[in-house]
Amino acid sequence: MGVLGPNVLLLGMAIGMAMVTLVASNDNLRVAYQWNQIDYEFPGGNDDRAEAIRSGAYVPENVIPVGLEVYKKRLFLTLPRWKPGIPASLAYININGDKIQQNMPMLELSAVNQLPSGQASNLGGTKHSGQAPLNVSPVRCCCCCKVFHQEGPEAFSAPQSSAPLITHLSSLGRRTPRLSEKDDDRLYVADFEKLLQLAQTSDRQQQQQQQESSAQSSRSRREGPELDKKRASPSRRHRQPVASRWPDHTTTQSPKLRPYPSWNAHRQMGDEEAPEIVSPFRIRADRCGRLWVLDTGVSDLLGETKVLAPTSLLVYDLHNDNLLRRFKFPADHIKESSFYANIAVEDTDCDDTFAYAADLGAPGLVVYSWKLQESWRVQHHFFHPDPLAGNYTITGISFQWDDGLFGIALSRPQSDGFATLYFHPLSSTNEFSVSTRILRNQTLATSDKIYREFKVLGSRGPNGQAGVAFLDQKTGVIFYALPNLNAVTCWKTSNRAYTIKSLGRVYMSVTDMVFPNDVKVDDESNLWVLSDRLHQYMYSSLDPKDVNFRILTATVKDAIENTACDTKIKPLPDIITNLGDILRPSTTTVPPKTKSAASSVLTSLAVLAVAALAKLLL
């Protein structure tokens, strides 16, 4: 075998064990709350609830959470009035109740997206196959003349609005094409697929594991805890989250929601009269104790759309829940296809705060000054969608969206006192940035001299369309929600490169991360992610017997551990960095000191292998 044979063998073992450790340490989020359907705490209890259902004021299957925020011990959810029967469009839960089970096993990734062609999977009560669905007939939308597809008698009704999110549904039940790993530009998706396959477990294996677990529990009761501890395998121990790894939140698993700030704020006296809060999409709590609510003012977006009020910013005092200010967007901010879907707040100075609202329908950015109580609209080509990135396939449902500016995230103030705004259109795989020094200057921001002030950072690769983004200012890490991949990824802003390789995989699952729709980090450095199966809600139906909405959480530290975003990643050992020099054939005529060199290399590799094995077993 020669001197280098054992070296290569040991090195392969060490790297292999390190990779196993890496995979076992990923996906550190766990489900904190989950709902089949959203329910409320009605003031009159069950009687009021029954009356609301009877009158149509509350239609449980029409309520969907799309945005979240966490401030102190309250978790807020937006529930926009996209369909009839939404009694309150902004609500919250108190983060208290029964203690979360700290030894809850990590949720396994299911194989919904990996079914062979032709094998049906049950999605929201409607069966979709790996091929194009049967009994597909075109339905023409009378208002926007786009052709929708429906599946037999269970088809959804075509929306009666040309709102940006209500776009053409091309087909149902088609799988995302598998990408070649030989193509460097597609390694991102291929890597996700490999990790997904690695994490999947067949039904037979799951049953076997349950039987083994049951038998092991019986033996443990007979033989004592010490023997049970010895039998536990390293892989099983890695699947059990350590109590200290999770934020110490509590939950009742599926708590009822309380309207914010009160029931009266959501009460609509007539069909044409707007309540205080109509239909918010995204919200943001700033460090000054204010809740910024971006209210679209639109009701029944997926049906007979009604504009009850102009798009507005509502700002509440979170100390007493009083409405501090309502700012209605000027008429020239509202274009024919405008839909303001996201908000970011630059709150370095509580008296001189700036809010940024993203218009994904008529791509643009509105800047609002708290001090001046004025706003202005910024235009740029980078706000527009990429025509080649409008295809989506999620759990067998394929559709096209042409949405523009959506994801916006703010850094901490830079050396000049201004933050950096990172942004991207929804239907795009590229990331961009601009200094708020440009945006906060009304004269400059609305001129035609700012084009080169906007920077192109790079691309997330195929299927890398990102929805919302949020930047944790303590670590400088941005978290992205990737609906096409049912995943959350991250990027460290201190990294000069923005490429596929520089992005970290935080969490991926075709069970509990189906359509991640919002991402936030609270003031205690906990990451929160909302997944809500939005595509099924819009284009199919949600099964009330299935869990449809989940909120997952972890500390930021645990979420980015062993990813490209890990702030404590150490450089590779010299033995790996200099591997090329070690393996390169010598060109000198002087015989090498084979014995001493080989001994040194073998010793280093042995130490590396033992270290990797020790880390795996911990």
Side-chain angles (χ1 to χ4, degrees):
M1 182 179 293
V3 175
L4 293 180
N7 295 2
V8 176
L9 179 61
L10 282 174
L11 182 61
M13 292 172 58
I15 294 176
M17 287 185 289
M19 289 301 295
V20 171
T21 303
L22 177 62
V23 172
S25 299
N26 280 339
D27 291 342
N28 282 336
L29 277 67
R30 62 96 177 88
V31 176
Y33 303 97
Q34 61 183 26
W35 297 266
N36 294 26
Q37 292 182 330
I38 296 296
D39 203 352
Y40 298 85
E41 288 188 2
F42 287 87
N46 290 334
D47 290 342
D48 279 6
R49 182 180 185 276
E51 174 58 26
I53 293 177
R54 186 198 64 78
S55 66
Y58 172 43
V59 182
E61 59 267 28
N62 286 354
V63 184
I64 181 173
V66 299
L68 70 81
E69 180 59 288
V70 176
Y71 183 80
K72 303 301 183 184
K73 294 301 179 181
R74 287 194 287 187
L75 186 151
F76 298 87
L77 291 172
T78 63
L79 310 121
R81 301 177 190 271
W82 287 356
K83 295 181 180 181
I86 315 297
S89 56
L90 176 60
Y92 71 96
I93 58 176
N94 287 319
I95 305 179
N96 56 22
D98 298 330
K99 202 78 169 180
I100 288 179
Q101 295 183 9
Q102 300 290 357
N103 62 345
M104 182 185 296
M106 296 294 290
L107 295 175
E108 298 290 338
L109 302 183
S110 70
V112 174
N113 271 347
Q114 302 297 319
L115 293 176
S117 178
Q119 183 176 344
S121 61
N122 195 344
L123 300 173
T126 304
K127 290 186 177 181
H128 304 281
S129 65
Q131 302 291 341
L134 299 176
N135 301 325
V136 175
S137 57
V139 174
R140 185 167 298 277
C141 175
C142 60
C143 63
C144 55
C145 296
K146 292 184 178 180
V147 177
F148 290 80
H149 285 76
Q150 66 181 30
E151 183 181 4
E154 299 296 330
F156 67 92
S157 58
Q160 303 298 315
S161 168
S162 58
L165 282 178
I166 319 307
T167 52
H168 174 58
L169 176 62
S170 65
S171 62
L172 296 174
R174 296 180 183 172
R175 295 180 59 198
T176 305
R178 188 170 182 84
L179 301 176
S180 171
E181 298 178 25
K182 296 180 180 179
D183 187 343
D184 290 340
D185 292 336
R186 299 184 174 186
L187 283 177
Y188 181 59
V189 177
D191 183 54
F192 269 92
E193 289 188 348
K194 287 190 294 183
L195 290 173
L196 184 62
Q197 292 172 352
L198 180 64
Q200 290 172 344
T201 305
S202 67
D203 292 339
R204 182 179 301 176
Q205 290 173 325
Q206 290 179 0
Q207 292 176 358
Q208 182 178 356
Q209 290 175 359
Q210 292 174 356
Q211 293 172 357
E212 292 176 355
S213 177
S214 177
Q216 182 174 324
S217 298
S218 299
R219 289 194 298 269
S220 299
R221 288 192 293 269
R222 296 193 304 268
E223 301 170 356
E226 291 300 322
L227 186 58
D228 180 63
K229 186 182 298 184
K230 293 178 182 179
R231 286 197 179 105
S233 67
S235 61
R236 287 184 182 274
R237 287 204 300 272
H238 271 293
R239 290 181 182 177
Q240 301 293 331
V242 181
S244 62
R245 294 175 66 87
W246 305 118
D248 188 20
H249 302 307
T250 53
T251 180
T252 57
Q253 193 66 14
S254 302
K256 294 182 178 181
L257 274 56
R258 302 175 181 178
Y260 183 87
S262 65
W263 276 107
N264 287 335
H266 300 272
R267 187 164 288 122
Q268 187 175 355
M269 303 306 295
D271 291 340
E272 303 300 327
E273 183 179 348
E276 180 176 300
I277 302 176
V278 180
S279 187
F281 198 9
R282 292 288 186 273
I283 52 178
R284 178 72 182 117
D286 66 18
R287 70 176 189 87
C288 311
R290 298 173 298 201
L291 182 66
W292 298 70
V293 180
L294 181 58
D295 192 347
T296 63
V298 177
S299 176
D300 201 8
L301 183 67
L302 302 185
E304 298 179 359
T305 303
K306 298 178 181 178
V307 179
L308 299 182
T311 301
S312 304
L313 276 176
L314 285 74
V315 185
Y316 289 90
D317 186 342
L318 286 168
H319 302 99
N320 54 27
D321 297 337
N322 290 334
L323 179 62
L324 296 174
R325 183 178 299 178
R326 176 194 293 273
F327 178 80
K328 297 180 180 180
F329 282 19
D332 62 352
H333 289 7
I334 311 297
K335 309 301 179 181
E336 182 178 356
S337 56
S338 284
F339 188 85
Y340 286 90
N342 205 359
I343 183 173
V345 179
E346 189 174 7
D347 55 2
T348 306
D349 186 340
C350 294
D351 295 325
D352 194 18
T353 299
F354 287 82
Y356 304 90
D359 185 349
L360 63 75
L365 182 72
V366 166
V367 182
Y368 170 73
S369 168
W370 174 266
K371 183 177 182 179
L372 300 177
Q373 299 190 45
E374 294 180 358
S375 65
W376 48 94
R377 183 180 168 100
V378 183
Q379 303 288 137
H380 199 278
H381 293 317
F382 292 173
F383 295 160
H384 290 258
D386 180 350
L388 301 180
N391 294 324
Y392 298 80
T393 298
I394 308 171
T395 60
I397 299 179
S398 297
F399 52 95
Q400 281 79 43
W401 282 351
D402 57 357
D403 297 333
L405 181 62
F406 186 40
I408 49 177
L410 286 165
S411 74
R412 68 176 66 184
Q414 304 301 299
S415 57
D416 60 358
F418 296 92
T420 298
L421 181 75
Y422 297 90
F423 67 90
H424 56 261
L426 175 57
S427 293
S428 172
T429 61
N430 295 316
E431 189 72 10
F432 309 91
S433 69
V434 64
S435 171
T436 59
R437 177 182 61 84
I438 305 299
L439 302 176
R440 287 165 52 172
N441 185 326
Q442 181 176 1
T443 302
L444 183 60
T446 55
S447 71
D448 57 358
K449 301 177 181 179
I450 62 171
Y451 182 83
R452 298 188 183 279
E453 299 291 344
F454 288 69
K455 308 300 180 184
V456 181
L457 298 180
S459 172
R460 287 176 292 275
N463 281 340
Q465 296 95 327
V468 296
F470 192 88
L471 194 154
D472 174 37
Q473 296 190 2
K474 294 180 181 178
T475 60
V477 171
I478 298 182
F479 294 94
Y480 297 99
L482 305 187
N484 245 345
L485 295 173
N486 297 314
V488 173
T489 58
C490 62
W491 177 65
K492 189 162 52 177
T493 55
S494 60
N495 192 337
R496 294 185 179 181
Y498 193 99
T499 64
I500 293 173
K501 295 181 180 180
S502 67
L503 297 173
R505 169 181 173 268
V506 174
Y507 196 88
M508 182 177 185
S509 172
V510 293
T511 300
D512 49 293
M513 192 58 77
V514 179
F515 207 109
N517 210 345
D518 206 357
V519 178
K520 291 289 173 61
V521 175
D522 64 23
D523 57 3
E524 296 181 356
S525 297
N526 298 313
L527 174 67
W528 298 85
V529 181
L530 167 67
S531 66
D532 62 4
R533 301 185 178 183
L534 176 63
H535 63 300
Q536 284 182 233
Y537 174 85
M538 293 177 62
Y539 299 134
S540 180
S541 62
L542 298 176
D543 186 351
K545 297 180 181 179
D546 196 7
V547 175
N548 294 303
F549 317 123
R550 293 177 173 88
I551 295 176
L552 297 90
T553 188
T555 64
V556 170
K557 176 180 177 294
D558 290 335
I560 64 176
E561 184 180 20
N562 290 329
T563 72
C565 308
D566 196 333
T567 56
K568 295 184 179 180
I569 287 182
K570 298 179 180 179
L572 292 173
D574 291 340
I575 188 65
I576 295 180
T577 305
N578 301 326
L579 182 61
D581 295 332
I582 295 173
L583 299 181
R584 187 179 297 112
S586 175
T587 57
T588 178
T589 57
V590 179
K593 297 181 180 180
T594 305
K595 184 175 181 180
S596 59
S599 176
S600 176
V601 170
L602 287 173
T603 301
S604 300
L605 286 171
V607 171
L608 179 62
V610 171
L613 181 60
K615 184 177 181 182
L616 178 64
L617 296 177
L618 288 178

